[in-house]
Amino acid sequence: MALLNILHYPDPRLHKKAVPVKVVDDRIRRLVADMAETMYAAPGIGLAANQVDVQERVVVIDASEDKSGLRAYINPEIIERDGEQICEEGCLSVPGVYEKVARSAWVRVRALDEKGQPFEFEAEGLMAVCIQHEIDHLDGKVFVEHLSLLKQNRIKVKLQKRSRITA
């Protein structure tokens, strides 16, 4: 396994739409393992492949308290949604920034597992937020783009200043 480089907003590669995985093979399983290692090291609870500059529809999430709930979602798609919740979100690609975002309160998702087998699941609360956040990444959208243009610009300036200071 290997730690992967996480792209930071406003990197234009974060805005590319990821393509569906055609075959779930050892390469994809290795990508899932590397993404999980990267997510845990960051530390975070979710990571989409295009955040590590792989433009394929692969997501890993572990929202458990003890880091025992790792799941991979390959070609995930929301097939049903309901309600609304507002939660504070953060992102490994937007370090140190946390903002309130409106999301569906409940979702039904279809995806493939690491063996290429299709499955569906329902999520609410934090898990619903996570899967919507990560699918947004796969569609080329970063969570700050749910915010006003004023807030987006403030975040860009803040991150650009921070990168100049650490460079």
Side-chain angles (χ1 to χ4, degrees), residues 138-154:
L138 298 178
D139 293 335
K141 189 172 188 176
V142 179
F143 90 98
V144 297
E145 292 163 8
H146 287 278
L147 307 173
S148 69
L149 287 176
L150 177 64
K151 281 190 176 183
Q152 289 179 47
N153 287 330
R154 284 183 181 163

Side-chain angles (χ1 to χ4, degrees), residues 93-105:
S93 291
V94 192
V97 174
Y98 301 90
E99 292 286 343
K100 291 186 186 293
V101 176
R103 300 272 187 190
S104 297

Side-chain angles (χ1 to χ4, degrees), residues 56-167:
E56 292 182 276
R57 296 187 75 81
V58 178
V59 165
V60 294
I61 295 176
D62 186 348
S64 67
E65 290 289 324
D66 63 357
K67 305 300 178 207
S68 65
L70 179 67
R71 288 296 307 259
Y73 305 95
I74 300 163
N75 298 336
E77 59 179 322
I78 296 171
I79 55 176
E80 204 175 334
R81 60 177 73 226
D82 191 36
E84 182 178 275
Q85 63 180 329
I86 298 176
C87 291
E88 188 170 75
E89 292 187 31
C91 181
L92 297 177
S93 291
V94 192
V97 174
Y98 301 90
E99 292 286 343
K100 291 186 186 293
V101 176
R103 300 272 187 190
S104 297
W106 173 89
V107 293
R108 177 184 294 279
V109 178
R110 179 183 302 132
L112 301 176
D113 65 17
E114 290 175 79
K115 295 177 182 171
Q117 297 301 308
F119 70 99
E120 289 185 13
F121 71 98
E122 296 177 11
E124 58 187 8
L126 178 60
M127 188 60 194
V129 170
C130 288
I131 195 71
Q132 290 171 86
H133 178 110
E134 300 307 334
I135 289 174
D136 270 1
H137 276 300
L138 298 178
D139 293 335
K141 189 172 188 176
V142 179
F143 90 98
V144 297
E145 292 163 8
H146 287 278
L147 307 173
S148 69
L149 287 176
L150 177 64
K151 281 190 176 183
Q152 289 179 47
N153 287 330
R154 284 183 181 163
I155 291 166
K156 281 180 191 175
V157 169
K158 177 181 178 179
L159 293 176
Q160 288 167 341
K161 282 181 182 176
R162 187 184 303 155
S163 69
R164 283 195 297 270
I165 291 169
T166 59

